[in-house]
Amino acid sequence: MIIAEDLLLLAYDDASGRPRLERTQLDYRLAGALLVELALSGRVDVTSSAGTDLDGRPVGAGRVVVRDASPTGHPALDHALALVRTRARAPKGLVAPLAKGLRDNLLAGLAARGILRREDGTVLWIFPTTSWPAADATHETQLRATCREVLLGVRAPDARTAALLATASGTPLVRGLVAPEHRRQAEARAKDLAAGSWASAAVKKAVDEMQAAVMAAVMVAVTASATATSG
Protein backbone atom coordinates (compact mmCIF):
# COMPACT_ATOMS: atom_id res chain seq x y z
CA MET A 1 0.00 0.00 0.00
CA ILE A 2 1.20 3.49 -0.80
CA ILE A 3 0.24 6.70 1.03
CA ALA A 4 -2.16 7.78 -1.72
CA GLU A 5 -4.01 4.44 -1.46
CA ASP A 6 -4.29 4.81 2.31
CA LEU A 7 -5.68 8.32 1.84
CA LEU A 8 -8.20 6.96 -0.66
CA LEU A 9 -9.39 4.31 1.80
CA LEU A 10 -9.92 6.97 4.46
CA ALA A 11 -11.76 9.14 1.94
CA TYR A 12 -14.29 6.53 0.73
CA ASP A 13 -17.21 5.35 2.83
CA ASP A 14 -16.99 1.59 3.32
CA ALA A 15 -20.71 0.98 2.96
CA SER A 16 -21.81 3.42 0.24
CA GLY A 17 -18.53 3.39 -1.69
CA ARG A 18 -18.79 7.16 -2.14
CA PRO A 19 -16.10 9.76 -1.42
CA ARG A 20 -16.34 11.97 1.66
CA LEU A 21 -14.39 14.79 0.01
CA GLU A 22 -15.14 17.02 -2.97
CA ARG A 23 -13.67 15.57 -6.16
CA THR A 24 -10.98 18.16 -6.97
CA GLN A 25 -9.82 18.45 -3.37
CA LEU A 26 -9.43 14.68 -3.10
CA ASP A 27 -7.68 14.40 -6.47
CA TYR A 28 -5.13 17.09 -5.58
CA ARG A 29 -4.45 15.56 -2.19
CA LEU A 30 -3.86 12.17 -3.82
CA ALA A 31 -1.38 13.79 -6.20
CA GLY A 32 0.32 15.48 -3.28
CA ALA A 33 0.57 12.12 -1.54
CA LEU A 34 2.52 10.75 -4.52
CA LEU A 35 5.00 13.63 -4.34
CA VAL A 36 5.37 13.26 -0.60
CA GLU A 37 6.05 9.52 -0.89
CA LEU A 38 8.62 10.02 -3.64
CA ALA A 39 10.33 12.64 -1.49
CA LEU A 40 10.20 10.39 1.59
CA SER A 41 11.89 7.58 -0.31
CA GLY A 42 14.60 9.88 -1.69
CA ARG A 43 13.43 9.40 -5.28
CA VAL A 44 12.83 13.13 -5.77
CA ASP A 45 14.17 16.27 -4.16
CA VAL A 46 13.34 19.98 -4.22
CA THR A 47 16.39 22.00 -5.26
CA SER A 48 17.54 24.61 -2.75
CA SER A 49 19.69 26.36 -5.36
CA ALA A 50 20.42 26.22 -9.07
CA GLY A 51 21.95 22.96 -10.24
CA THR A 52 21.33 20.06 -12.58
CA ASP A 53 18.83 17.23 -12.74
CA LEU A 54 19.48 13.50 -13.08
CA ASP A 55 20.00 13.92 -16.83
CA GLY A 56 22.42 16.81 -16.45
CA ARG A 57 19.98 19.53 -17.48
CA PRO A 58 20.26 22.86 -15.64
CA VAL A 59 17.45 23.62 -13.18
CA GLY A 60 16.69 26.57 -10.95
CA ALA A 61 15.99 26.62 -7.24
CA GLY A 62 12.68 25.32 -5.90
CA ARG A 63 12.20 22.69 -8.60
CA VAL A 64 11.33 19.03 -8.11
CA VAL A 65 14.02 16.81 -9.63
CA VAL A 66 14.51 13.06 -9.77
CA ARG A 67 17.45 11.72 -7.77
CA ASP A 68 16.73 8.00 -8.16
CA ALA A 69 14.84 6.83 -11.24
CA SER A 70 14.81 3.11 -10.44
CA PRO A 71 11.32 1.52 -10.48
CA THR A 72 9.33 1.78 -7.27
CA GLY A 73 7.23 -1.30 -7.90
CA HIS A 74 3.94 0.62 -7.94
CA PRO A 75 2.50 1.90 -11.25
CA ALA A 76 1.19 5.19 -9.82
CA LEU A 77 4.54 6.08 -8.26
CA ASP A 78 6.45 4.99 -11.36
CA HIS A 79 4.20 7.16 -13.55
CA ALA A 80 4.71 10.11 -11.20
CA LEU A 81 8.47 9.57 -11.26
CA ALA A 82 8.49 9.54 -15.06
CA LEU A 83 6.40 12.72 -15.19
CA VAL A 84 8.71 14.54 -12.78
CA ARG A 85 11.72 13.49 -14.83
CA THR A 86 10.37 15.00 -18.07
CA ARG A 87 10.86 18.56 -16.86
CA ALA A 88 11.85 20.18 -13.57
CA ARG A 89 8.90 22.10 -12.14
CA ALA A 90 7.89 23.67 -8.86
CA PRO A 91 5.80 21.26 -6.74
CA LYS A 92 2.64 23.27 -7.36
CA GLY A 93 3.14 22.80 -11.10
CA LEU A 94 3.03 19.04 -10.69
CA VAL A 95 -0.13 18.61 -8.63
CA ALA A 96 -2.67 19.01 -11.44
CA PRO A 97 -0.81 16.82 -13.99
CA LEU A 98 -0.28 14.10 -11.40
CA ALA A 99 -3.95 14.21 -10.40
CA LYS A 100 -5.21 13.46 -13.91
CA GLY A 101 -6.77 9.98 -13.91
CA LEU A 102 -5.04 9.10 -10.64
CA ARG A 103 -8.08 8.40 -8.49
CA ASP A 104 -9.71 6.06 -11.00
CA ASN A 105 -6.46 4.16 -11.46
CA LEU A 106 -5.94 3.76 -7.72
CA LEU A 107 -9.54 2.65 -7.17
CA ALA A 108 -9.26 0.06 -9.93
CA GLY A 109 -6.01 -1.20 -8.47
CA LEU A 110 -7.51 -1.59 -5.00
CA ALA A 111 -10.48 -3.44 -6.48
CA ALA A 112 -8.15 -5.77 -8.42
CA ARG A 113 -6.45 -6.64 -5.12
CA GLY A 114 -9.75 -7.41 -3.41
CA ILE A 115 -9.68 -4.41 -1.03
CA LEU A 116 -12.55 -2.53 -2.68
CA ARG A 117 -15.45 -3.74 -4.81
CA ARG A 118 -16.63 -1.94 -7.93
CA GLU A 119 -20.39 -1.50 -8.24
CA ASP A 120 -21.87 0.05 -11.39
CA GLY A 121 -25.36 1.50 -11.49
CA THR A 122 -27.41 4.40 -12.77
CA VAL A 123 -28.98 7.56 -11.36
CA LEU A 124 -32.60 8.11 -12.41
CA TRP A 125 -32.19 4.97 -14.56
CA ILE A 126 -30.21 7.03 -17.07
CA PHE A 127 -26.88 8.38 -15.81
CA PRO A 128 -24.16 5.79 -15.14
CA THR A 129 -22.54 5.82 -11.72
CA THR A 130 -19.84 3.80 -9.99
CA SER A 131 -19.30 3.21 -6.30
CA TRP A 132 -16.43 1.50 -4.48
CA PRO A 133 -17.54 -0.11 -1.20
CA ALA A 134 -15.12 -2.07 0.95
CA ALA A 135 -14.54 -5.72 0.10
CA ASP A 136 -11.82 -6.42 2.69
CA ALA A 137 -11.44 -3.76 5.39
CA THR A 138 -8.63 -5.50 7.28
CA HIS A 139 -5.92 -3.06 6.27
CA GLU A 140 -8.13 0.01 6.64
CA THR A 141 -9.21 -1.03 10.15
CA GLN A 142 -5.58 -1.23 11.28
CA LEU A 143 -4.75 1.98 9.45
CA ARG A 144 -7.53 3.88 11.20
CA ALA A 145 -6.44 2.52 14.59
CA THR A 146 -2.85 3.64 13.99
CA CYS A 147 -3.91 7.09 12.82
CA ARG A 148 -6.23 7.49 15.80
CA GLU A 149 -3.44 6.60 18.24
CA VAL A 150 -1.11 9.13 16.61
CA LEU A 151 -3.74 11.88 16.65
CA LEU A 152 -4.48 11.26 20.32
CA GLY A 153 -0.81 11.13 21.31
CA VAL A 154 -0.85 7.44 22.24
CA ARG A 155 2.01 6.68 19.87
CA ALA A 156 4.63 8.61 17.95
CA PRO A 157 4.06 8.61 14.19
CA ASP A 158 6.35 6.90 11.76
CA ALA A 159 7.19 8.91 8.64
CA ARG A 160 4.46 7.36 6.47
CA THR A 161 1.69 7.89 9.04
CA ALA A 162 2.85 11.46 9.62
CA ALA A 163 2.82 12.08 5.87
CA LEU A 164 -0.66 10.58 5.50
CA LEU A 165 -2.12 12.71 8.29
CA ALA A 166 -0.34 15.81 7.01
CA THR A 167 -1.91 15.20 3.60
CA ALA A 168 -5.35 14.76 5.18
CA SER A 169 -4.97 17.81 7.45
CA GLY A 170 -7.74 20.36 7.13
CA THR A 171 -10.34 17.86 5.92
CA PRO A 172 -13.25 16.05 7.62
CA LEU A 173 -11.24 12.84 7.26
CA VAL A 174 -9.18 13.74 10.34
CA ARG A 175 -12.26 14.39 12.47
CA GLY A 176 -13.73 11.10 11.31
CA LEU A 177 -10.86 9.14 12.80
CA VAL A 178 -11.68 9.98 16.43
CA ALA A 179 -14.64 10.31 18.76
CA PRO A 180 -16.44 13.68 18.72
CA GLU A 181 -14.93 14.79 22.03
CA HIS A 182 -11.41 14.38 20.61
CA ARG A 183 -11.90 16.10 17.25
CA ARG A 184 -10.33 19.41 18.23
CA GLN A 185 -7.26 17.63 19.57
CA ALA A 186 -7.02 15.52 16.40
CA GLU A 187 -7.27 18.54 14.11
CA ALA A 188 -4.55 20.35 16.06
CA ARG A 189 -2.26 17.32 15.88
CA ALA A 190 -2.79 16.91 12.13
CA LYS A 191 -2.05 20.61 11.66
CA ASP A 192 1.20 20.18 13.60
CA LEU A 193 2.16 17.27 11.36
CA ALA A 194 1.38 19.34 8.27
CA ALA A 195 3.78 21.98 9.62
CA GLY A 196 6.42 19.35 8.99
CA SER A 197 8.91 19.42 11.89
CA TRP A 198 9.31 15.66 11.34
CA ALA A 199 9.93 16.02 7.59
CA SER A 200 12.84 16.75 5.32
CA ALA A 201 12.84 20.01 3.38
CA ALA A 202 11.66 18.21 0.24
CA VAL A 203 8.75 16.52 2.02
CA LYS A 204 7.76 19.76 3.77
CA LYS A 205 7.81 21.59 0.43
CA ALA A 206 5.64 18.91 -1.18
CA VAL A 207 3.08 19.09 1.64
CA ASP A 208 2.98 22.90 1.53
CA GLU A 209 2.56 23.05 -2.23
CA MET A 210 -0.14 20.39 -2.21
CA GLN A 211 -2.11 22.31 0.42
CA ALA A 212 -1.69 25.54 -1.56
CA ALA A 213 -2.89 23.86 -4.76
CA VAL A 214 -5.95 22.48 -2.97
CA MET A 215 -6.84 25.88 -1.54
CA ALA A 216 -6.41 27.52 -4.95
CA ALA A 217 -8.71 24.93 -6.53
CA VAL A 218 -11.32 25.46 -3.81
CA MET A 219 -11.21 29.24 -4.33
CA VAL A 220 -11.66 28.82 -8.08
CA ALA A 221 -14.67 26.56 -7.48
CA VAL A 222 -16.20 29.02 -4.99
CA THR A 223 -15.66 31.94 -7.37
CA ALA A 224 -17.19 30.04 -10.29
CA SER A 225 -20.20 29.09 -8.17
CA ALA A 226 -20.71 32.69 -7.00
CA THR A 227 -20.45 33.95 -10.58
CA ALA A 228 -22.99 31.42 -11.82
CA THR A 229 -25.38 32.29 -8.99
CA SER A 230 -25.12 36.03 -9.57
CA GLY A 231 -25.62 35.52 -13.30
Side-chain angles (χ1 to χ4, degrees), residues 150-154 178 181-190:
V150 169
L151 291 171
L152 297 181
V154 176
V178 299
E181 62 269 25
H182 298 305
R183 286 175 179 171
R184 185 169 297 180
Q185 176 186 352
E187 289 175 329
R189 180 58 174 146

Side-chain angles (χ1 to χ4, degrees), residues 74-91:
H74 193 286
L77 289 175
D78 287 340
H79 172 74
L81 199 59
L83 180 63
V84 172
R85 192 172 182 179
T86 59
R87 178 167 61 88
R89 284 172 272 195

Side-chain angles (χ1 to χ4, degrees), residues 5 74-75 103-116 132:
E5 289 172 329
H74 193 286
R103 177 157 50 99
D104 288 343
N105 289 337
L106 292 177
L107 287 167
L110 290 171
R113 287 147 61 190
I115 297 170
L116 298 180
W132 304 86

Side-chain angles (χ1 to χ4, degrees), residues 162-185:
L164 171 62
L165 292 173
T167 306
S169 176
T171 74
L173 303 183
V174 172
R175 298 193 294 275
L177 289 166
V178 299
E181 62 269 25
H182 298 305
R183 286 175 179 171
R184 185 169 297 180
Q185 176 186 352

Side-chain angles (χ1 to χ4, degrees), residues 33 46 90 95 130 138 150 152 161 181 221:
V46 179
V95 172
T130 302
T138 304
V150 169
L152 297 181
T161 304
E181 62 269 25

Side-chain angles (χ1 to χ4, degrees), residues 61-74:
R63 298 295 187 265
V64 182
V65 293
V66 175
R67 298 303 186 194
D68 177 2
S70 58
T72 66
H74 193 286

Side-chain angles (χ1 to χ4, degrees), residues 33-227:
L34 293 184
L35 279 180
V36 169
E37 184 141 3
L38 290 175
L40 269 178
S41 65
R43 301 303 181 101
V44 304
D45 191 14
V46 179
T47 57
S48 57
S49 59
T52 59
D53 64 13
L54 191 66
D55 300 304
R57 295 172 295 201
V59 295
R63 298 295 187 265
V64 182
V65 293
V66 175
R67 298 303 186 194
D68 177 2
S70 58
T72 66
H74 193 286
L77 289 175
D78 287 340
H79 172 74
L81 199 59
L83 180 63
V84 172
R85 192 172 182 179
T86 59
R87 178 167 61 88
R89 284 172 272 195
K92 65 182 178 182
L94 287 164
V95 172
L98 288 173
K100 188 175 182 180
L102 175 59
R103 177 157 50 99
D104 288 343
N105 289 337
L106 292 177
L107 287 167
L110 290 171
R113 287 147 61 190
I115 297 170
L116 298 180
R117 183 176 67 257
R118 176 173 179 150
E119 292 186 353
D120 295 314
T122 58
V123 176
L124 301 176
W125 300 281
I126 299 174
F127 304 104
T129 182
T130 302
S131 60
W132 304 86
D136 180 355
T138 304
H139 172 77
E140 184 184 350
T141 299
Q142 181 58 53
L143 174 67
R144 287 180 173 275
T146 299
C147 289
R148 183 164 51 250
E149 291 175 355
V150 169
L151 291 171
L152 297 181
V154 176
R155 72 158 74 183
D158 57 36
R160 292 189 78 262
T161 304
L164 171 62
L165 292 173
T167 306
S169 176
T171 74
L173 303 183
V174 172
R175 298 193 294 275
L177 289 166
V178 299
E181 62 269 25
H182 298 305
R183 286 175 179 171
R184 185 169 297 180
Q185 176 186 352
E187 289 175 329
R189 180 58 174 146
K191 186 176 179 180
D192 287 343
L193 292 171
S197 59
W198 56 275
S200 68
V203 173
K204 177 65 168 64
K205 186 70 171 176
V207 171
D208 288 348
E209 296 282 8
M210 177 272 300
Q211 297 278 20
V214 169
M215 290 306 298
V218 170
M219 289 303 297
V220 168
V222 170
T223 302
S225 176
T227 301

